[in-house]
Amino acid sequence: MSQSRQPQVNLDALYDPPSETIVKGVMSRLLPFHIAYLDVATFFCLATGSAQGLDASPRGGEPGFVKVLDERTVAFADWPGNNRIASLRNLTEDDRVGMLFLFPGLEVFMRINGRARICVDADLLSKLGEGGRTPKTGIVVAIDEVLFHCGKAINRAKLWKPESQLERKAVPSMGEMKAALTGIDPSKAGEIDAGYYRAVRGDLY
């Protein structure tokens, strides 16, 4: 069913309004406690979009890999992935971004919404370097909103519980999926898996 044909849902009748504390917690600039979380952040998901659709991309690094440039601006490196560079291509068309931070072991999320640009300034790229490497590009985000989000989803998922970690054999491996997609002999899956884990663990930058 297309979006235009869906029946209108009265969301205000279904959901209570947010509390005053929640409303006041949506800021247009970073406060010291936001910066404290960014200083330890190691992972976030980046949402971008274009006329062709939406994209969400995982981003990770050493603690503090998202740099605070000032109270309204943050920046992070774009490191090699699968070379689709969907996020970067989207930013050339639509500068809106969303950043959802997860903090291992903590029951809270932090969100930043803003406007982003691709940067190739040598001084900034040097500041964003990791592992002895300098990125080809950085992404600079002008903050529109920064807020914390409760961690109920973390507890519903039991995300940080050791018993929630999946056994590798619980789902098809990367090698098995690649064999299915490309017609490669399935017996080669183990060899493909070994190469994948060498790259994903060793070729980080």
Side-chain angles (χ1 to χ4, degrees):
M1 180 182 293
S2 68
Q3 185 69 28
S4 61
R5 295 182 181 179
Q6 289 184 358
Q8 191 69 29
V9 176
N10 186 347
L11 297 177
D12 291 330
L14 294 172
Y15 294 91
D16 293 330
S19 69
E20 182 180 1
T21 302
I22 296 298
V23 173
K24 288 184 175 180
V26 181
M27 309 295 297
S28 61
R29 61 186 177 89
L30 298 171
L31 297 179
F33 53 77
H34 296 120
I35 296 172
Y37 274 81
L38 288 172
D39 285 344
V40 300
T42 58
F43 179 85
F44 73 93
C45 286
L46 176 69
T48 59
S50 70
Q52 287 68 48
L54 303 175
D55 185 75
S57 173
R59 304 289 170 139
E62 299 172 353
F65 78 106
V66 177
K67 306 297 184 185
V68 176
L69 303 186
D70 58 50
E71 65 178 7
R72 298 181 187 273
T73 317
V74 297
F76 57 93
D78 185 78
W79 294 112
N82 57 17
N83 278 335
R84 292 185 66 239
I85 56 173
S87 299
L88 297 180
R89 295 192 188 281
N90 284 345
L91 289 178
T92 65
E93 183 177 326
D94 187 335
D95 65 353
R96 294 175 298 171
V97 297
M99 304 166 69
L100 176 65
F101 290 84
L102 282 80
F103 303 91
L106 302 185
E107 298 166 288
V108 67
F109 299 95
M110 189 169 77
R111 292 161 53 183
I112 292 176
N113 297 321
R115 305 275 176 167
R117 61 182 175 87
I118 301 168
C119 180
V120 293
D121 176 75
D123 289 339
L124 178 61
L125 295 182
S126 177
K127 294 177 183 177
L128 298 177
E130 285 186 51
R133 302 292 296 273
T134 300
K136 293 179 180 178
T137 61
I139 298 175
V140 179
V141 179
I143 296 170
D144 290 330
E145 295 181 328
V146 55
L147 63 149
F148 286 95
H149 195 293
C150 81
K152 290 180 180 179
I154 289 171
N155 289 326
R156 283 192 287 262
K158 300 180 176 64
L159 194 59
W160 308 137
K161 300 290 186 181
E163 61 268 25
S164 295
Q165 294 191 10
L166 296 175
E167 293 289 337
R168 191 178 301 175
K169 294 182 179 180
V171 291
S173 72
M174 296 298 294
E176 290 167 338
M177 291 187 289
K178 185 173 182 178
L181 289 170
T182 63
I184 295 173
D185 184 344
S187 67
K188 300 289 186 180
E191 182 180 337
I192 297 169
D193 285 334
Y196 170 76
Y197 286 111
R198 279 195 302 271
V200 80
R201 293 170 179 168
D203 300 335
L204 299 181
Y205 302 103

